[in-house]
Amino acid sequence: HDVSQVFVGQSLIRGQFSLKTSMGKYLSSDSVGKVTAGSTAVSELEQWFPMKTDDGFAFRNIHGKFLSFDRD
């Protein structure tokens, strides 16, 4: 498997997490669900709420949009 990106999770408050890239940028999402990795600091846009789903896990952003992933 080729690794194209590695994220480091950091626990914040009340079950919130931030996801930081190997380039030192934080994963963020706006109100329409557009995901970027360009922020150098954590604001509410870089806060994610992990949730268990039927298929595994997903992260909900502050706007109620979901980011999900699978093992492949």
Side-chain angles (χ1 to χ4, degrees):
H1 291 260
D2 291 330
V3 176
S4 52
Q5 188 60 260
V6 174
F7 294 94
V8 175
Q10 178 182 358
S11 179
L12 301 172
I13 58 171
R14 294 172 280 153
Q16 301 170 15
F17 284 81
S18 65
L19 298 168
K20 191 174 186 179
T21 71
S22 59
M23 305 286 240
K25 305 292 183 174
Y26 290 93
L27 197 69
S28 62
S29 181
D30 64 16
S31 62
V32 296
K34 181 180 176 184
V35 176
T36 58
S39 179
T40 58
V42 176
S43 73
E44 68 180 14
L45 299 179
E46 291 77 35
Q47 295 174 13
W48 298 90
F49 303 84
M51 304 185 78
K52 178 83 171 107
T53 67
D54 291 339
D55 297 324
F57 288 93
F59 291 95
R60 181 178 53 84
N61 71 8
I62 195 79
H63 302 289
K65 306 291 185 190
F66 289 89
L67 172 69
S68 63
F69 57 93
D70 59 37
R71 295 177 205 255
D72 300 325

